Amino acid sequence: MRQPLVVGNWKMNGSTATIQTLLEQMKQGIGSVERTKVGVCPPFVYLSQVSIALGATNIAWGAQDVSQQAEGAFTGEVAVNMLKDFNCAYVIVGHSERRSLYHESDELVAQKFAAVQAGMMIPILCVGELLEERESGDTENVVKRQLDAVLNLAGIAAFEKAVIAYEPVWAIGTGKTASPQQAQDVHAFIRQQLAKYDNAIADKVQILYGGSVKGSNATELFSMADIDGGLIGGASLKADDFLTICRAG
Ligand code: 13P
């Protein structure tokens, strides 16, 4: 039985003041979330604030990206050990905004995934197709290619301590959610790909759905057999909306 997981990806949003309010409201409301493990991924500069505010709670936190390099002359980058310093549990790698806006390749994403794991944190590996790829029937090819890059570098055993997020790019921030069946089909495909190497790992890995998840559609999405929770963008910035989604897990 996989535990549901709902993670808020705040993207490049928030300020010290708005984050303080959001965290207070989350702490007040988290008692109403029964089964679901909850986490938030703020921008790097707020990790200290978040780690202090959430330290004594059961809400986890993580980062939205990381460098594949360990340390050195890489201006603007943040290393795995720095994230460990702030007790991050999770690190998102390969978000579609990183892949498309910052040209991150499958190979780079795989290196980041491996670096996070070597640092004893849990990578949340994002995969997903563009609208034109879905329309040309390439969804499975794209997702397989993105997964294979990580499997080739890190191996199947790496997925014992990893989370996968399926985020169809056409559903991110657009208000267009994948239908529960569309999402389920890809989640099942991802699990099948891993099962080719190891059934037990495929069965255990949490696969989250991301892309316009809201309080109003979360229950339906999360009730699908292979959907184990969500990676939430916009709706994670309001405590009420986010907690409603967390309760749906
Ligand atoms: P939205 O929930 O805003 O569509 O964003 C999804 C996402 O990209 C989470 O990583």
Side-chain angles (χ1 to χ4, degrees), residues 125-241:
L125 170 67
C126 298
V127 297
E129 80 288 2
L130 304 168
L131 182 60
E132 55 267 34
E133 292 166 336
R134 172 159 286 265
E135 284 175 346
S136 62
D138 275 331
T139 298
E140 292 189 350
N141 291 336
V142 170
V143 169
K144 181 176 184 319
R145 193 197 70 220
Q146 293 169 336
L147 273 179
D148 281 350
V150 177
L151 282 164
N152 290 340
L153 185 77
I156 183 67
F159 284 86
E160 216 154 0
K161 293 204 173 97
V163 172
I164 299 172
Y166 169 57
E167 298 205 313
V169 180
W170 47 272
I172 295 177
T174 58
K176 269 194 215 165
T177 320
S179 72
Q181 192 59 52
Q182 277 176 323
Q184 164 60 26
D185 289 348
V186 181
H187 283 229
F189 173 76
I190 291 170
R191 224 179 276 291
Q192 252 171 40
Q193 293 305 303
L194 299 181
K196 290 200 290 193
Y197 304 93
D198 190 309
N199 269 315
I201 290 175
D203 194 47
K204 211 177 121 201
V205 68
Q206 289 159 312
I207 309 179
L208 313 183
Y209 168 78
S212 299
V213 179
K214 304 186 246 331
S216 55
N217 58 25
T219 307
E220 228 193 330
L221 284 159
F222 298 170
S223 68
M224 303 306 282
D226 289 294
I227 302 183
D228 305 314
L231 186 56
I232 317 301
S236 70
L237 298 169
K238 290 209 179 111
D240 276 356
D241 294 351

Side-chain angles (χ1 to χ4, degrees), residues 23 27 46-56 61:
L23 291 170
K27 285 202 280 189
Y46 298 114
L47 277 172
S48 172
Q49 184 188 358
V50 168
S51 67
I52 291 165
L54 298 182
W61 60 91

